[in-house]
Amino acid sequence: MIPMIPPKLAPWITFGNDTVILKPDAPKEVRPLYEKLKKQIEQADQQAMNWKE
């Protein structure tokens, strides 16, 4: 399942090289949202890899 991106986090992230990247000028209060999203994306990638096997 693809995780939902919180609206508060959306302006502060970019995507590249199969990962999500937090912009350097992002405020500290979005860091926990970023960490949660990154973890969810990694879990989704892992599940997709297991599904293909």
Side-chain angles (χ1 to χ4, degrees), residues 5-15 20-21 23 30 33 37:
I5 300 170
K8 186 174 183 177
L9 179 61
W12 303 109
I13 57 173
T14 58
F15 294 92
V20 61
I21 302 164
K23 293 180 180 178
V30 300
L33 296 172
L37 177 64

Side-chain angles (χ1 to χ4, degrees), residues 1-3 6-7 14 22-23 27-28 31 39-40 46 48:
M1 181 170 79
I2 299 173
T14 58
L22 187 64
K23 293 180 180 178
K28 289 184 180 184
R31 183 84 180 172
K39 183 178 178 181
Q40 290 174 340
Q46 188 63 37

Side-chain angles (χ1 to χ4, degrees), residues 6-53:
K8 186 174 183 177
L9 179 61
W12 303 109
I13 57 173
T14 58
F15 294 92
N17 296 329
D18 297 327
T19 190
V20 61
I21 302 164
L22 187 64
K23 293 180 180 178
D25 57 340
K28 289 184 180 184
E29 65 258 12
V30 300
R31 183 84 180 172
L33 296 172
Y34 164 75
E35 294 295 338
K36 182 178 179 182
L37 177 64
K38 187 172 181 178
K39 183 178 178 181
Q40 290 174 340
I41 290 173
E42 289 170 354
Q43 288 174 343
D45 283 347
Q46 188 63 37
Q47 288 175 351
M49 295 296 284
N50 290 340
W51 182 74
K52 289 181 180 179
E53 294 177 352

